[in-house]
Amino acid sequence: MSDPEELRRILQAVSTGSTDVDSAVAAISAAAPSMDFAQLDLHRPARTGNPEAVYGAGKTPEQVIAILRHFAAARQDGLVTRVSDEMATKVIAALPATEWLPVPRLLLQRSGPPKAARGGVAVVCAGTSDLPVAEEASVTLELLGNQVSRLTDVGVAGIHRVLGRLDELRAARAVVVVAGMEGALASVVAGLVQVPVVAVPTSVGYGAAFGGLAALLGMLNSCAPGVSVVNIDNGYGAAVVASRINQAGLGPAP
Amino acid sequence: MSDPEELRRILQAVSTGSTDVDSAVAAISAAAPSMDFAQLDLHRPARTGNPEAVYGAGKTPEQVIAILRHFAAARQDGLVTRVSDEMATKVIAALPATEWLPVPRLLLQRSGPPKAARGGVAVVCAGTSDLPVAEEASVTLELLGNQVSRLTDVGVAGIHRVLGRLDELRAARAVVVVAGMEGALASVVAGLVQVPVVAVPTSVGYGAAFGGLAALLGMLNSCAPGVSVVNIDNGYGAAVVASRINQAGLGPAP
Amino acid sequence: MSDPEELRRILQAVSTGSTDVDSAVAAISAAAPSMDFAQLDLHRPARTGNPEAVYGAGKTPEQVIAILRHFAAARQDGLVTRVSDEMATKVIAALPATEWLPVPRLLLQRSGPPKAARGGVAVVCAGTSDLPVAEEASVTLELLGNQVSRLTDVGVAGIHRVLGRLDELRAARAVVVVAGMEGALASVVAGLVQVPVVAVPTSVGYGAAFGGLAALLGMLNSCAPGVSVVNIDNGYGAAVVASRINQAGLGPAP
Amino acid sequence: MSDPEELRRILQAVSTGSTDVDSAVAAISAAAPSMDFAQLDLHRPARTGNPEAVYGAGKTPEQVIAILRHFAAARQDGLVTRVSDEMATKVIAALPATEWLPVPRLLLQRSGPPKAARGGVAVVCAGTSDLPVAEEASVTLELLGNQVSRLTDVGVAGIHRVLGRLDELRAARAVVVVAGMEGALASVVAGLVQVPVVAVPTSVGYGAAFGGLAALLGMLNSCAPGVSVVNIDNGYGAAVVASRINQAGLGPAP
Amino acid sequence: MSDPEELRRILQAVSTGSTDVDSAVAAISAAAPSMDFAQLDLHRPARTGNPEAVYGAGKTPEQVIAILRHFAAARQDGLVTRVSDEMATKVIAALPATEWLPVPRLLLQRSGPPKAARGGVAVVCAGTSDLPVAEEASVTLELLGNQVSRLTDVGVAGIHRVLGRLDELRAARAVVVVAGMEGALASVVAGLVQVPVVAVPTSVGYGAAFGGLAALLGMLNSCAPGVSVVNIDNGYGAAVVASRINQAGLGPAP
Amino acid sequence: MSDPEELRRILQAVSTGSTDVDSAVAAISAAAPSMDFAQLDLHRPARTGNPEAVYGAGKTPEQVIAILRHFAAARQDGLVTRVSDEMATKVIAALPATEWLPVPRLLLQRSGPPKAARGGVAVVCAGTSDLPVAEEASVTLELLGNQVSRLTDVGVAGIHRVLGRLDELRAARAVVVVAGMEGALASVVAGLVQVPVVAVPTSVGYGAAFGGLAALLGMLNSCAPGVSVVNIDNGYGAAVVASRINQAGLGPAP
Amino acid sequence: MSDPEELRRILQAVSTGSTDVDSAVAAISAAAPSMDFAQLDLHRPARTGNPEAVYGAGKTPEQVIAILRHFAAARQDGLVTRVSDEMATKVIAALPATEWLPVPRLLLQRSGPPKAARGGVAVVCAGTSDLPVAEEASVTLELLGNQVSRLTDVGVAGIHRVLGRLDELRAARAVVVVAGMEGALASVVAGLVQVPVVAVPTSVGYGAAFGGLAALLGMLNSCAPGVSVVNIDNGYGAAVVASRINQAGLGPAP
Amino acid sequence: MSDPEELRRILQAVSTGSTDVDSAVAAISAAAPSMDFAQLDLHRPARTGNPEAVYGAGKTPEQVIAILRHFAAARQDGLVTRVSDEMATKVIAALPATEWLPVPRLLLQRSGPPKAARGGVAVVCAGTSDLPVAEEASVTLELLGNQVSRLTDVGVAGIHRVLGRLDELRAARAVVVVAGMEGALASVVAGLVQVPVVAVPTSVGYGAAFGGLAALLGMLNSCAPGVSVVNIDNGYGAAVVASRINQAGLGPAP
């Protein structure tokens, strides 16, 4: 029974004799299915202001608008990923308060003022073509209340570009590395820092990149310990992992 | 709370005043985790006599002996798949009542007399090399209480061999088709019967058979409706599916 | 000779002397090719009202219209899958009695009143993106005369959603599980029910989903027995299998 | 030196003193490169009237028109494969004598009257969706002077359809089997005939057909001997192989 | 009814009144199933002396001995492929008349004197490592009564080795090309001859040869028309195809 | 210049005139290469007691012994993974203080007393066959000073087994999920906890598990956010990631 | 410290007492990060006139225009690859001095007169469909100051076409081979020359060419030594490798 | 006719009348086949002392001994790769002058004193497990007369190890990079040098390394220009390429 107050109410009725035992057994049992799971807290309600992500590709603008209205009613932040120009135009026409971020192709509907940025996550990006995925990660991280440091275009073909920003890298509590092609940046970065590296292979590249497979395999086989990998182009997923790492040691949000 | 008697007992204590409401709330809440799952009956006890399968490859004889002893104590049938000669020898030395079936490489420990064979499942096998997998299916089916009809070496390279046994095929309530190489037998059989066909690709073949991949893809792409597929060489898995289909319409076992 | 009446007619002519033996030998032999196969009943005529499925993708509207007219003439239900908006518009203009179901992208031409719904099949769907495939399965099942129970958006990321509808799941005689991404729902459901689970991997997902390959492999490797798998996005195929399972134990349709 | 007369002429000039030795060495050496290859007959001129195939996809209409003009000047048949509607329109506008075959998407420019059809090749096609590839094979075979017998829509899901046309199959000197999905038709046909079977996997199918990979692997692993395979959708290639087989035993064309 | 005499006998009985019509209908119908297949001659008996191939890998010596005894009794040639040294020793001990060919790893049991060699097939082999597969093809071809010309170690890395034996190549009525690694020899040879080329990829090579996949794909994509492909390492299969091509134009064997 | 004292010494020599400017420029420049990297601290010395992992497979016992002696001299913990029985025997004979852990196949050489266990990491294991990889993770985590909670044999085929230990799961600061076959456990667990889930696919399974590929793809496509993935069977790698996450919020080790 | 003059200045200040030792230590240390990398010359400035390549696909015309303006300002040649017609039109409108090469789809902005062509690289192209990639290589080579010899349409299906141009091949200091389909040309050429062969697989082909995979594997498995391979369709990459090889032995450019 | 002197001799005989014209025509024609190819110099004789490589795996010791004796007779160096301990023992017993190099598993039979080492090739090796492949490259390079600089264990997980040996890297005329796992070292090195980088993926790694596929794809997709790739584990092949590059600019060997 999820609602202790309801349980207490029934028990008090039993206690006062206004409900007999059989009726109480039946009431509690009948309520069990929904109660149980709430009691188990399997479905922890998302805290107010946390974004709920919607994968925009394959949905109609109408569906997205309906979902965002639902979020607004629930006072939750809403984040739509993989949004086309056409969808963005239609959604903004319907919901003018929505923000459109064209590089990461995100639509954002805030339920309140931005959360305070805490801790620090570095988002490292190998090439400018990887930027949309990196920005999907960075924006998501910021929405989740993380301080983000962006290191852009620091691919391993010019290793000095990574080394030249070592201080920023080492100041982070978690690092997201976004790279396509061979994905070597994850290994290089993981050899330079002591915190977890969340690697995002991108589908950038051609020919034998096979839509991100080369980068994915490269990152999974990183010779440097401390790397774990999310799905190809999944900047959002990396952000959720990195946010959890970053905030683990910060104590509860203010 | 899974145990209605326990719940009733608490409520009666509340009703009589021997327990106060707060204590009852606490007692019901504290008991919830374990109770819930019993109540949900997530873990339905296997009926006595049903075999519990153990994948023998990768286990030591000692581990298998221990597991079989556990089954014996629980009065459950035990079935061990993918058994090496060496393992069979050691297990039988320790547990002489165990049966060893060398073709399907199965060890079988019965908890009672064989179940009555009901309904009918046809197990169709393309070539003699596929026989171990087909026998794994057939023996498992028999253990589960199904009447089994074996059609062996009826590959499509000689289509008359299939056609010549059409009556047996059509008498079955479910058909298991076991084939390696190109796996075409599944499509041919499914075009001839009206009952579900459970297809088992085998790793038989060489070169571009790629360990059963060719047969697997062939069966998944069957142009005949009514085919579903289990994992490569998974005779046991096909038997479980076919047994459920066969027994669905038979009513409860006697 | 497929038509016993025709055979009888010839024999009677021989009997009465109106046909001589040589002519009768010739007539029966000449007819043999078609007779044989009818006699063997290789080509069982589909029962009236059963849908014959047409794969719409890659056909022209004109071809589809011609096929549907053919079905109408034969008094068979016609079902067209993977229909584009454009095709639907053209077909309905030509055949106004055709029904257009936009979510599963199906065109349906009925040859008579709907069949009575019997037994019960649960169609379980992991996410809203999987809905078109799930609906393809559900609509096909209904056309084939099965009672369908839809469980939508019960993905394993919130396991309580599956558990909360356990009663509906367990009431079914067969379960179709439709899931993309990692396809884990098939394993979870198969661990909860005792009837066959027909798993449909969908191409929903991105990156390393590889067009449904991840879900397909996941379902084939299900750790729970009782699962068999059909082709990626093949809701129609799953429905045919599940319908056969469901109706196996019901006896002949009224 | 390919031309013995030319060599003799030089030697005679040496013999008579009208050419000195050094000049003769130079003349023979200088001529060598081109002579050698003529002598080796590496570049056998295609016989007049034989089609030279051009892969139309990826070429511009202008390029195709130029090539066909080149063929016309050389009095060769020209065959363009994988032609779009747009290309066909433009080519026919420029070269009105060109024939457009929309089903196999071929453009054909004849250099003379059709060749006499000799021998016999059966082109067997599993489903109507495979028809474009089958027609690419059939038309090419006819251009190359082969008698073609078309067996269409005889997939293995209804095995009686193949068996019902056994006489036509067995009358052929070579059989081309065109099938997508699981490609099982190649195995079934090869079990029924004694002549070589040239199998063409098609990209027809969806999901785990993986663009023809399933049919390709199926055909390569055919359990029936006598099957060899060409590239996915390569009707033209199969036709060239089958034409060579058919005509091998016919003696020189009249 | 396969036996016209039997059919005639029944009809005459009807004609004379010694059998009534109903009995005749029943008799013809009852006989149909088995008769049909004989009538259809689906199972053409192999002509005496033709080898029946047995895949030796995965069989026990005892199984192979039993099969060969069966062939001897049927007066058929027997050919066992992929034979281990150990199996060869045991089989020869039991059946001393069996021939053991160690390079192609074949066991051969003749049912009579060798067939006369007719026509001509060239078996071209890229490297010495490919020799076992090439010899499997050559020996099978000889058993089937074909004249075989062996061109060994003529890989494309030294193209002059192929060119230097052009006359032998061009004298053949069919060419089998056996090559591993990149399999380029098939394209080069097909550009030099006018007869069908049957290509056999071998598993020779390492690393990205992926067990013959590189050669297989290379041969399927041959830029020269006239090439068809059999399974990896399948020398036997190529021989059957090439024998059929060679003998197609030769008329019946003497 | 990495050593500030050395730099200061040179500058003081310049300051006092005992070194001239040119010599100082040369000295600083010459020292630069090695200094720079120390200064950049690219090669942070591992803190005493931290294990350095050695991949044992493919090394000789002699090599492993030498490496462990090197670690002992450097007062570093040494951890050898993927150790065969034979290697273990030889190493322990040479270095009797080494610990041998047969289930995860690890050799461990401690440089001091175990580190205090801090925080909490749950290591969740789907089946007993996955135990070696899970133990590789657990032992590594303990060596790195993490409190480890082991949840064994809680596969999704019996979802109640996971749910029954929810409290332990939710007490952890990071969760390692080890699963083969379809790897669905990662998604289920990630839907139940709020901390990062590090997923380890194992090579457990057969047929279409393809050596862990099915589990790998399943985990990468997890429908539940918060999952990142390491290489197949890489328990060590997962432990390093999880240890970094766990200790991030704990402050410096005592 | 990258700038010896700056270092000298500080040391002289120390020497003269105008800077104290501590300040000098701080100054040198503070400057270290940027100095170090210049000193290491990790980022060698590209020599004036060398093209910097920009991958045009996936960039907007505006981005490309901005990049080219940046190159112009830096007096560097700019090369944009994979340019669409639409992009070309827009870029030329903005930067009229840019050259548009439609076959290789390159945009070229020169910073000065073309470099003198030195040495010799042969670019060999199997078919006309491979020409765009071959021209990408040739144009890049010319921009980098290499003499280029183009051998077009010399595929191995007509081996005499390669042999007929042997002198040109052998005159080169490096050979680039561009081929799709089976990619056999690389092996044939490498067997004919003594210089390095840089092989470029192209995505030309269909069906089992799998987007260039067949050619890629073929080239990696070349039976002729001296071949190395770049990514599919990567004409630019091959040109950079071949240019380095060609110019290695030529001494510094004039 | 390859030998101009022989041609001149015949012509002079014609000129002086000691040979008649017909005899001369016959002599020149008869010699043509072999002459042509010599004239074309397709089969350039390997220069004395150059090693001819033999792939040892899959050959018997007897075959290797025979080949080495053949080389000795021809006064050629012989190099056998992938040699087992057992083969080495047998070969050395037969040919005691053969050198056995256990790390790269090479057998070497010299035909004379080592060639002078010229130029410079750096062989860079990511980890000690990659050493056998790296040594196969290094030893081959030395046999071919190249000065070799070995950089071992400089993987990218500790980027300072590469950077610390930059001078050695930059002194080379060609660089061979040998790496398994993700193969990222190729990209890092190519970003640091101006000469061609020949990348060798190794099969070192486990799980998703897929036998070297991850490293192969990584290297093919290198974001740094100047990299080309050879087959997995092909140290010999990389050495031949690098030797050709190194010696291209050195002029003829002394």
Side-chain angles (χ1 to χ4, degrees), chain B:
Chain B
M1 205 160 223
S2 62
D3 185 349
E5 292 316 306
E6 174 68 4
L7 178 57
R8 182 179 305 275
R9 200 190 54 70
I10 296 175
L11 289 169
Q12 281 171 331
V14 171
S15 166
T16 59
S18 68
T19 295
D20 62 57
V21 167
D22 281 353
S23 300
V25 169
I28 295 173
S29 299
S34 56
M35 286 194 303
D36 287 342
F37 301 114
Q39 183 177 19
L40 289 169
D41 189 20
L42 291 171
H43 186 41
R44 295 193 201 169
R47 275 103 191 128
T48 307
N50 261 22
E52 184 86 5
V54 179
Y55 189 65
K59 292 208 173 57
T60 63
E62 291 69 32
Q63 289 175 311
V64 167
I65 291 165
I67 293 168
L68 288 175
R69 286 195 168 124
H70 179 80
F71 287 159
R75 294 187 175 278
Q76 283 189 308
D77 287 354
L79 181 69
V80 192
T81 63
R82 315 287 166 102
V83 178
S84 66
D85 286 329
E86 183 197 352
M87 178 183 284
T89 305
K90 290 192 179 170
V91 171
I92 291 168
L95 302 169
T98 308
E99 296 170 45
W100 165 231
L101 304 171
V103 169
R105 314 206 69 74
L106 295 172
L107 279 171
L108 170 60
Q109 177 186 260
R110 293 183 190 275
S111 62
K115 302 178 71 167
R118 303 196 302 153
V121 179
V123 177
V124 187
C125 177
T128 49
S129 303
D130 302 315
L131 208 53
V133 177
E135 276 300 292
E136 185 179 303
S138 296
V139 171
T140 304
L141 278 162
E142 289 170 341
L143 281 171
L144 289 163
N146 304 279
Q147 180 86 31
V148 175
S149 166
R150 289 167 171 86
L151 288 79
T152 302
D153 205 7
V154 293
V156 297
I159 197 71
H160 62 287
R161 292 181 293 189
V162 183
L163 298 181
R165 301 186 67 178
L166 210 45
D167 285 350
E168 286 170 87
L169 264 183
R170 292 196 172 156
R173 300 170 58 90
V175 180
V176 174
V177 174
V178 180
M181 304 178 94
E182 85 279 55
L185 188 59
S187 297
V188 170
V189 168
L192 297 171
V193 300
Q194 292 283 43
V195 297
V197 171
V198 184
V200 192
T202 73
S203 54
V204 169
Y206 55 94
F210 293 126
L213 179 63
L216 171 63
L217 293 182
M219 288 165 165
L220 284 168
N221 286 284
S222 173
C223 55
V227 179
S228 62
V229 187
V230 298
N231 201 350
I232 296 166
D233 290 337
N234 191 3
Y236 169 79
V240 172
V241 173
S243 175
R244 292 183 180 186
I245 296 170
N246 178 43
Q247 301 193 0
L250 296 176

Side-chain angles (χ1 to χ4, degrees), chain A residues 155-159 163 181-182 184 187-188 190-192 205-210 213-214 217-225, chain H residues 155-159 163 181-182 184 187-188 190-192 205-210 213-214 217-225:
Chain A
V156 298
I159 198 69
L163 299 181
M181 304 178 96
E182 85 278 56
S187 297
V188 169
L192 296 172
Y206 53 94
F210 294 128
L213 180 63
L217 293 182
M219 287 165 165
L220 284 167
N221 285 284
S222 173
C223 57
Chain H
V156 298
I159 199 67
L163 298 181
M181 305 178 94
E182 85 279 54
S187 297
V188 170
L192 296 171
Y206 55 94
F210 294 127
L213 180 62
L217 293 182
M219 288 167 165
L220 284 167
N221 286 286
S222 173
C223 55

